[in-house]
Structure formats: C-alpha cells, structure tokens
Amino acid sequence: MSASKPSSPVLPVAEAADIDAAVRLPVLVLLAFAILWLLTASALGLVAAIKLTRPDFLASCEWLTFGRVYPAALNALAYGWGVSAGLAVALWLMARLSRAVLPGGGLLVVAAVCWNVGVKLGILGILAGWSNSVPWLEMPRQVMPFLLVAYVCMAAWVVGALRAGSSPRLYVSQWWVLAALFWLPWLLTAAGAMLFFAPVRGTVQSVVAAWYAHGLLALWFAPLGLGLVYYLLPKLLGKPIRAYYLAPFGFWFYALFSAWAGAARLADGPVPAWTQAAGAIASFMLLLPVAVIAVNLFGSFLGGGLAALGRGVVLRFAAVAALFFVLSTLLYVAMALPGVAAITRLTWFAAASDYAVIYGVFSFAVFGAVYYLAPRLVGREWPFASLIRAHFWLALAGLVLAGVSLSLGGLQQGRELTNAKIPFADVTQHTLPYLQAATLAGALLLLGHLAFAVNFVKLVLCPRHRAASAAAPVPASLLAAPELELEVHAS
Amino acid sequence: MSSIPSSLGPRLESAAASDDSIQRVHAGLLGQKPEPEPGGYALAPLALLGLMSALILGCCIFFVRNRGGFDPLVYNGRIDPKSAANTSAALTPEKIIANGKAIYGLSCIQCHGPEGKGQPSLFPPLAGSDWANGSEDRVIRILLHGLKDPIKVKTVDSTLDFASSNKMPSLLAPPYGYSDAKISFVLTYVRQAFGNNAPPITAEKVTAVREEIAAHKGEFTQADLLAVP
C-alpha cells in the first residue's frame, strides 16, 4: 500500500527522525517491559476474577489465593504496566515536543531494568504473602526505596529532555506530563514515609492511604493520559485544540483540587467529618477543570473531526480516553455526595471508577500513542492491521462491559448491604452475575492485549517480516507531517 | 485547514500536523482573546465564570453543613456536637450516674441518708430495698406521686415493717417539680448505688408511667402499688 501513495512534494523528510532515533532503544525497552506486565496483570486479574465466582478454582495453591492474586494484579497493572508505559511515551513525547536529541539512552535502559526488577520482586513478595494492607501500595516496603531511585533516574531523563531541547515554546501536553512526573515521586515518598517508615497514628493512616490511592489515579494516570490526548488530537486531526486559551486554567484547577479530592473516598467512613467534607467539596470543584478539558478535547472533533474517527484507530483510542476522563471524574463527583457514598462505598462501584481511570483514560491513550509512535521508531509498518482493529474493539468491549457490570453490580450490592433485612450471604449471591460478566470482560481484555503484544513483537523483533513486506523501510515522505494552519474559530 | 489528510491505514497512521507547527499555532492561540459572540460578549468565559461562582457557593454551603463542628471525634457531618450534647441520646452512663448522684444529694439525702440506710422508724432504707430495686412501675409511681401509710420493706438481710406518720413526698409537686429525665437519673443512681444492682430506668419509661397515672390524686399506698405489676 505504501508504494501506491504519492510522496508529498512539500516535506519529503521524515518528521523528527533524529529525535526518534535517539530515544528508540529506551522507549522500546520500556514498552517491551510494559507489555509483558500488561499481559501478566491481565492474566492475574482474570484468575482473581474467576476466583470471585468460583472459589474452588486453583484453590490448592497458596500463592494464588484471592487475597494475593488480586493485589498482585493491581500492582502489576499500576507499576509494571502503568509506570513503564507511562515513562516510555512521556520520554518520546517530551523529546519530540522539546526537540531534544537525547544522548546516552543506555543509562536509561539500566534504570528501566532496575525498575522492572524492583516491580518483579514486589509482585513476588505479594504472592509470597508479604504484602502491606494499603490499597495500591501492597508491595513489600523493602522494594520501595529501590523503586524510587530507579524511577527518579528515569524521570530525570525526561525532565532533562525539556531542559536540553531547543524548542522555545511549551505545549499543554508538556505541562501535564511534567506535572505527573513530579507528582508520582511526591505521592510515593509521602505515603511510604507516613504509612511504613514512620507510621502516623490512628485515622490519619486511612486518610493518607486514601490520598495516595486517589493521587496515583488522578495525579499520575489521568494527567499522562490527558497529555497524550492533547497531543494526539491536533496531530491526527490537523486542527488546533478548541478554546486553547482555557487550557492553562483547566490544568491549574485540576492540579489544585485533585490532590484534595482523595479524602472523598472516605465519605461516610471513620474519619472526622470535616475531612470528608473537605474532600467532597474538592471533588465538586473538579467539575470546573473537567468542563474546560471537555470543551478543549471534544471541541476539536466539531466540524468534520467525527468522520476522522472512522478512519484512524489512534484517534479512536484517544477519543475513548477523553470520554472516560470526563466520565470517571463525574463518577468521583457523584461518589463524593454523602447520600450516594452511603450506598457506593465498599462496593464494586468504587472499583469500577478506578478501573475507568487506569484503563479507560491512561491505557487507551497509551495504546493510541504506541500505535502512532512505534512504527516511526522502528521504521516499519505494523505487521497486522487486523490485530490493531481487534485490539481496539476487544479493549473497548472489555472496558465497557467491566465498567457497566461492576457499577450496576456495585449499586445493587450497596443498596442491599444497607438493608438489614437481606442476609449478607444473599447479597454476595446477588452480585455473582455481575462478577461473571466482569470475568468475561477480563477475558476480552486479555485477548486484546495478546493481539497488541503479538503485533508489537512482530514489529520490533521479526526481521523476516521486513523482508517479506512489499516495501522495505517506509519511505521518509510518508513520515512527514504537514504544517498546521492557524484557524479562527468563530469564522 | 483545507482537508484532513487521508490516513495511510492503521498500520502506519499519518500525521496531519508537524510538532513544530502544533506548538507555534497553539502558542499564538494562548494569547488570543476569545472571539465575541454576536451579542458582544464571549460566551465560554462567561459561562465558566458562572459555573465557578455557583460551584464555590454550593461548596461553601455544603462544607458549613457537613463540617461536624471541626470536632476530630465527630465522624458524621450531619450531627452538630453542640446541640447533640443536650439530648439524653448523647449522655454516657457515667454522666447519668453523676447527674443522679447530684439530685440525690439535693433532694433525698436528708431523709434517706448519705448511705441510703434511712433512719430507724423515721425513714425507710433504700440500700437493698426491694421497692428501690424491684418493679420499675412501682418505684416510678412512688417518686412521681409520693407514698404514705405503713409499708413492708425487705432488704438483703432483714424485713422491716415500716410504720410512721412521715410521708414520701411527690417529686412532681413543688418544691421539686422534677422533669421525667431528672427522675430517671436519680432512680438509676439509687438502683446502682449503696450496693444496689438493678437495671437503669429511662426517661421514656418515666414519661409513660406519668401519663398512665395522670388521673391519680395524692400519695400512693402499699395496696395501690401491689396492684400494679
């Protein structure tokens, strides 16, 4: 197909080829780790989901009891997949937008290996029964300093790209990515210190734990996803972000309120009422940045953009991520209302909105970005177009099915738990169909990830594919990018 | 933008804008004032300002109503600790006993004595008394309307045929005029002090008995009391 495409006479050189070449090795290594972790996490998650409905499944193996597999799956997803993939795309995006040709990616690869060894030890620790009882921080505390050092080495590289780059301007994606890079170590050190190394006492512990859990999702995963979407939309649509002058406003308000919103997770819980109320109003105020971000992102689709959704898979991934960002924040706002919290807390509903962030926002944005950037890094096309489409539809189906079944199941569970007339065993029994649907969703996701992994491995590793393909390396003209023209919105 | 360039297909998606131009165009947009609508105002910033004001107002109201008095021990924001302290629901058993003891010291001690032993042939004992420790309905009646004429008082180690012209005064009548809650406090105290060990009496129970005997005039006698369970 590439042979039939006429080359553009205006810009015959591949865009940013030297920049891409400099980050090729570290980005591909990080992505390879990330995809391995994604498969691990989805497999562990599937085992955990099956165990919820069929407790006798793999029951004889101590390492695979539910209390270990479930946190292992979550941590593999968050730190194995999430942080590795997040850093990979952040590095690429930062290098490109700062126009920095990074020297010496070798050190970065060492740090990436260290990080992944650390996560591996942590996950094994959880499976061996040494986990902590703090959600999203179950990895044994001994690996945490190690992880932190590895993380700082990697993130410093990305920040260095910004300083070394020759671009005179900052784009909104860079704010989001940069902020996320600083927020994660802040969250990790503060929560690690206050929960494990110099534990605070009493209810403050649960406040810190809630702050961390919310921060990980709202200050690491969501901002990275947003940064990518803000980049991919103009990149593929060829249109500027709508009402861009509001974008800084959205960023600062989000940063201001998200850090506080975590306390809303404790609504109706055992912490002082004013803490819950403060968390709730911080969540309500999030409506403001979400409105801005929604105008920015969805506004870009106005006027012909929707048709482009039908053509490009990357754009579709980005659009789903934007949609789920708005959706998940609305869910958090709803759950901060005391009346709603009384029903949803401690149910699957709360879990559903967390998955919406980590999967719907972050992972979808990363998938889209990888489908765009990987062929440019390698200099070859993706081997299987059908697997890309299969990945998108399987992931979307899995995401929607899991989200719908867990939130409906959670609502029913919550309503029945607050009704003293219904025995607890019956409540559990009634959630079973929803959990079965969620298990099916897990299987769909795993299939989608397999399609992604096969494509990626073939793209990167298999030289035979290169020889067999009609056109050897992609001609540079196809990798060129036209100029974005300034367009006045009101006209 | 003239047209969105057609994609090369999912195997290699084409860019529609270069990084450099994305940054240049958006840097220009950042400084650009929003275009006014036909009415003369830009709608988006105004709408945003309205949303912001509404949110801040709503959040302030929410916070004031749910702050729980900034009390670190109040976990339910809808309870105001100050008003909650006055209702008996907020009373701990210790507070009830302390209240009861204070009332006893004011109103009972002069007749029934600091140890609840009474005074031989003048005032009957409360320590170990089967009346004080027995039926709630009877002892509440005694306090509400008083008691006269001879009675038989059984204590732990003896039985006393008490006969004196002294009467037990009604605590509803002046100078006492006690509320149901106060009567329940002092009775709970009497039933748990002086070596007594009977269950507490609630204000609700006192109210119920008072309403039941509203038609009764004057002090009760032993015969009246034995007629109720």
Side-chain angles (χ1 to χ4, degrees):
Chain A
M1 56 167 283
S2 44
S4 65
K5 180 90 186 168
S7 57
S8 158
V10 194
L11 283 160
V13 279
E15 187 194 9
D18 48 342
I19 296 174
D20 281 1
V23 293
R24 172 181 302 140
L25 184 68
V27 170
L28 287 182
V29 167
L30 274 169
L31 277 180
F33 277 128
I35 292 175
L36 267 180
W37 279 118
L38 184 62
L39 292 179
T40 316
S42 9
L44 287 174
L46 191 59
V47 172
I50 295 177
K51 275 170 171 289
L52 270 181
T53 51
R54 303 176 48 101
D56 50 339
F57 177 68
L58 293 181
S60 55
C61 179
E62 190 193 341
W63 281 51
L64 292 178
T65 42
F66 181 79
R68 299 185 187 184
V69 191
Y70 184 61
L74 287 187
N75 281 266
L77 189 68
Y79 303 101
W81 155 251
V83 175
S84 308
L87 280 170
V89 291
L91 178 65
W92 175 79
L93 194 68
M94 223 35 151
R96 272 210 163 199
L97 288 178
S98 316
R99 259 169 300 297
V101 182
L102 278 180
L107 204 70
L108 196 55
V109 173
V110 175
V113 172
C114 285
W115 169 266
N116 280 281
V117 170
V119 176
K120 173 147 275 171
L121 288 177
I123 302 295
L124 286 179
I126 295 176
L127 290 177
W130 294 334
S131 57
N132 300 315
S133 57
V134 182
W136 299 104
L137 269 182
E138 283 97 343
M139 291 198 276
R141 75 182 67 167
Q142 288 80 357
V143 303
M144 287 183 59
F146 184 70
L147 283 179
L148 201 69
V149 172
Y151 173 86
V152 169
C153 291
M154 291 188 286
W157 220 267
V158 187
V159 179
L162 182 71
R163 289 194 53 91
S166 62
S167 165
R169 304 180 188 90
L170 274 182
Y171 179 58
V172 54
S173 293
Q174 284 162 293
W175 315 335
W176 284 103
V177 169
L178 203 65
L181 288 176
F182 280 106
W183 282 330
L184 184 66
W186 172 54
L187 288 162
L188 263 179
T189 42
M194 291 170 84
L195 292 174
F196 305 128
F197 296 102
V200 289
R201 291 171 59 186
T203 52
V204 185
Q205 277 193 4
S206 53
V207 177
V208 174
W211 170 78
Y212 179 79
H214 194 78
L216 181 68
L217 297 162
L219 295 177
W220 166 259
F221 286 111
L224 276 180
L226 278 180
L228 288 174
V229 175
Y230 265 113
Y231 174 73
L232 290 174
L233 290 189
K235 188 78 185 164
L236 293 160
L237 282 171
K239 300 193 328 168
I241 294 291
R242 172 137 315 206
Y244 184 71
Y245 62 94
L246 291 176
F249 187 75
F251 172 81
W252 285 112
F253 270 80
Y254 186 86
L256 185 63
F257 296 122
S258 262
W260 286 90
R265 291 181 173 241
L266 298 168
D268 271 337
V271 293
W274 69 265
T275 322
Q276 305 172 25
I281 61 172
S283 304
F284 301 155
M285 289 306 287
L286 278 178
L287 286 175
L288 207 58
V290 166
V292 170
I293 293 168
V295 169
N296 279 172
L297 299 182
F298 298 136
S300 310
F301 283 107
L302 296 178
L306 279 179
L309 275 184
R311 287 196 296 266
V313 177
V314 175
L315 209 53
R316 261 185 265 162
F317 272 117
V320 173
L323 194 68
F324 269 82
F325 173 76
V326 175
L327 212 69
S328 61
T329 317
L330 291 182
L331 282 184
Y332 284 133
V333 171
M335 279 193 293
L337 293 164
V340 182
I343 290 180
T344 54
R345 81 201 159 104
L346 308 180
T347 69
W348 288 109
F349 192 90
S353 36
D354 287 353
Y355 299 152
V357 175
I358 203 166
Y359 204 82
V361 183
F362 171 79
S363 301
F364 264 66
V366 169
F367 292 148
V370 170
Y371 280 124
Y372 179 80
L373 69 89
R376 287 174 165 74
L377 288 185
V378 184
R380 291 191 286 272
E381 292 173 88
W382 285 99
F384 306 109
S386 52
L387 283 186
I388 299 181
R389 285 194 205 96
H391 178 198
F392 176 77
W393 289 114
L394 284 170
L396 187 63
L399 175 64
V400 172
L401 183 60
V404 169
S405 58
L406 286 182
S407 43
L408 288 185
L411 280 182
Q412 159 154 1
Q413 187 190 11
R415 264 204 307 272
E416 294 191 352
L417 280 176
T418 46
N419 183 347
K421 289 206 190 81
I422 304 177
F424 187 75
D426 288 359
V427 180
T428 318
Q429 202 72 36
H430 295 163
T431 54
L432 276 185
Y434 300 101
L435 293 178
Q436 272 150 2
T439 311
L440 178 66
L444 293 178
L445 290 178
L446 181 59
L447 276 180
H449 299 155
L450 278 173
F452 181 43
V454 166
N455 230 346
F456 185 80
V457 169
K458 192 111 197 282
L459 172 76
V460 176
L461 286 189
C462 195
R464 250 183 302 123
H465 151 67
R466 186 181 191 172
S469 145
V474 180
S477 58
L478 285 183
L479 297 173
E483 292 288 291
L484 178 67
E485 284 161 31
L486 183 65
E487 149 187 288
V488 181
H489 294 308
S491 62
Chain B
M1 198 70 228
S2 47
S3 72
I4 296 158
S6 63
S7 171
L8 303 181
R11 295 172 63 196
L12 177 66
E13 297 213 9
S14 57
S18 70
D19 293 343
D20 189 50
S21 65
I22 288 180
Q23 277 171 304
R24 195 160 22 76
V25 164
H26 284 98
L29 285 175
L30 207 54
Q32 194 191 48
K33 284 268 170 301
E35 286 287 314
E37 308 282 319
Y41 294 101
L43 201 61
L46 273 186
L48 212 61
L49 198 68
L51 178 65
M52 186 162 130
S53 325
L55 274 178
I56 290 179
L57 180 69
C59 285
C60 287
I61 295 174
F62 182 91
F63 192 74
V64 168
R65 296 178 78 184
N66 290 276
R67 74 192 187 287
F70 286 110
D71 187 329
L73 293 178
V74 173
Y75 286 5
N76 185 337
R78 275 143 286 172
I79 287 179
D80 178 10
K82 282 201 203 78
S83 63
N86 298 331
T87 72
S88 64
L91 282 170
T92 58
E94 290 76 19
K95 280 189 191 158
I96 292 180
I97 294 294
N99 282 347
K101 188 173 184 180
I103 299 171
Y104 186 87
L106 270 177
S107 321
C108 322
I109 205 164
Q110 64 272 42
C111 298
H112 291 288
E115 303 287 297
K117 293 209 171 66
Q119 290 172 40
S121 73
L122 290 175
F123 305 108
L126 300 179
S129 144
D130 62 336
W131 295 100
N133 288 290
S135 153
E136 293 186 6
D137 282 279
R138 289 178 191 168
V139 74
I140 291 173
R141 278 175 167 76
I142 295 177
L143 264 77
L144 285 174
H145 281 206
L147 188 64
K148 64 181 180 189
D149 299 346
I151 54 160
K152 181 183 269 185
V153 180
K154 279 201 208 102
T155 60
V156 191
D157 40 10
S158 63
T159 305
L160 181 71
D161 279 313
F162 182 84
S164 119
S165 59
N166 287 336
K167 291 176 186 170
M168 160 83 196
S170 155
L171 296 185
L172 287 181
Y176 303 101
Y178 281 174
S179 69
D180 295 344
K182 272 188 162 179
I183 291 179
S184 76
F185 294 158
V186 69
L187 271 179
T188 301
Y189 169 71
V190 165
R191 280 157 75 88
Q192 297 184 359
F194 323 129
N196 291 347
N197 190 15
I201 287 179
T202 63
E204 288 76 33
K205 177 71 186 171
V206 177
T207 312
V209 173
R210 181 170 50 76
E211 281 164 2
E212 213 175 295
I213 60 173
H216 188 92
K217 291 264 157 11
E219 294 86 356
F220 285 102
T221 62
Q222 177 168 260
D224 295 335
L225 293 178
L226 290 179
V228 296

